[in-house]
Amino acid sequence: KDLDARWVKKNGINHYGYKNNICIDVEHGFIRRYAVTPANIHDSQMLPMLLDPENTDDYVWADSAYAGECFENLLNLGGFESCIHEKGSRNHPLSDAAKECNRIKSAIRACVEHVFGCMTMSMGGKMTRKIGLERNKAWWGLKNLTFNFLRYLLRADRGLALA
């Protein structure tokens, strides 16, 4: 029995295990930082661990789970500029302008989803059968590194220069 893994319900479906949270380079698509957590830990709690102070791009692109004043303050403290999606609420839906702004941000933010799509379609999926958080961290670390190698080879085959 895995004592570190946890259950979480997302969109009415129960999931058990771990999550791989990543920070990628928008320009080249490489995974810069990652954090592996039990499934019940909310993605937004990993933001401080994923921010890369060595990143030359000052923008942070994220979905509305990271919306809020505390995240804005954290980003300002770190010298980052927020491009986080705006979030509506029950009695205050998003305006058309906010929806359009989110749509524009989604074009860049989708790069992260492509990483997980690649892992699912060509790297054996996202499921792990490792027991324990430390083993899962090592497994995800190797999988993230493999993704970066494949990404590098793909860019080199296309003749794209890497800065």
Side-chain angles (χ1 to χ4, degrees):
K1 181 177 176 182
D2 192 344
L3 299 177
D4 296 329
R6 296 289 181 264
W7 285 97
V8 69
K9 189 176 222 174
K10 185 173 181 181
N11 297 327
I13 300 171
N14 291 321
H15 299 277
Y16 181 74
Y18 300 92
K19 273 196 273 193
N20 180 28
N21 301 282
I22 62 172
C23 168
I24 70 164
D25 180 336
V26 172
E27 186 177 346
H28 301 105
F30 293 118
I31 298 173
R32 296 182 63 94
R33 295 188 112 173
Y34 72 96
V36 178
T37 61
N40 67 333
I41 304 296
H42 195 271
D43 295 343
S44 64
Q45 293 180 1
M46 295 297 105
L47 183 63
M49 295 175 68
L50 296 175
L51 292 175
D52 188 358
E54 296 175 7
N55 194 352
T56 57
D57 189 6
D58 293 339
Y59 297 103
V60 173
W61 307 89
D63 64 17
S64 60
Y66 299 90
E69 191 174 328
C70 62
F71 296 113
E72 298 293 331
N73 293 339
L74 175 70
L75 294 177
N76 287 337
L77 254 159
F80 294 98
E81 190 170 330
S82 174
C83 291
I84 296 175
H85 279 215
E86 293 183 43
K87 189 178 204 174
S89 63
R90 185 177 305 172
N91 295 323
H92 297 49
L94 287 176
S95 66
D96 290 337
K99 288 179 185 177
E100 182 60 30
C101 186
N102 282 352
R103 192 175 357 269
I104 292 167
K105 292 175 185 176
S106 292
I108 294 173
R109 201 182 64 75
C111 297
V112 176
E113 302 306 327
H114 291 291
V115 173
F116 292 118
C118 176
M119 287 182 179
T120 300
M121 300 302 291
S122 63
M123 294 178 66
K126 296 187 292 182
M127 187 173 152
T128 173
R129 296 200 182 273
K130 313 300 175 270
I131 295 177
L133 182 59
E134 291 305 315
R135 287 182 180 172
N136 276 284
K137 283 181 180 180
W139 186 82
W140 276 110
L142 290 172
K143 194 154 196 162
N144 291 338
L145 181 63
T146 302
F147 173 83
N148 281 347
F149 284 144
L150 292 173
R151 183 75 180 183
Y152 178 80
L153 290 173
L154 178 67
R155 292 184 64 84
D157 284 347
R158 291 184 181 168
L160 299 173
L162 294 172

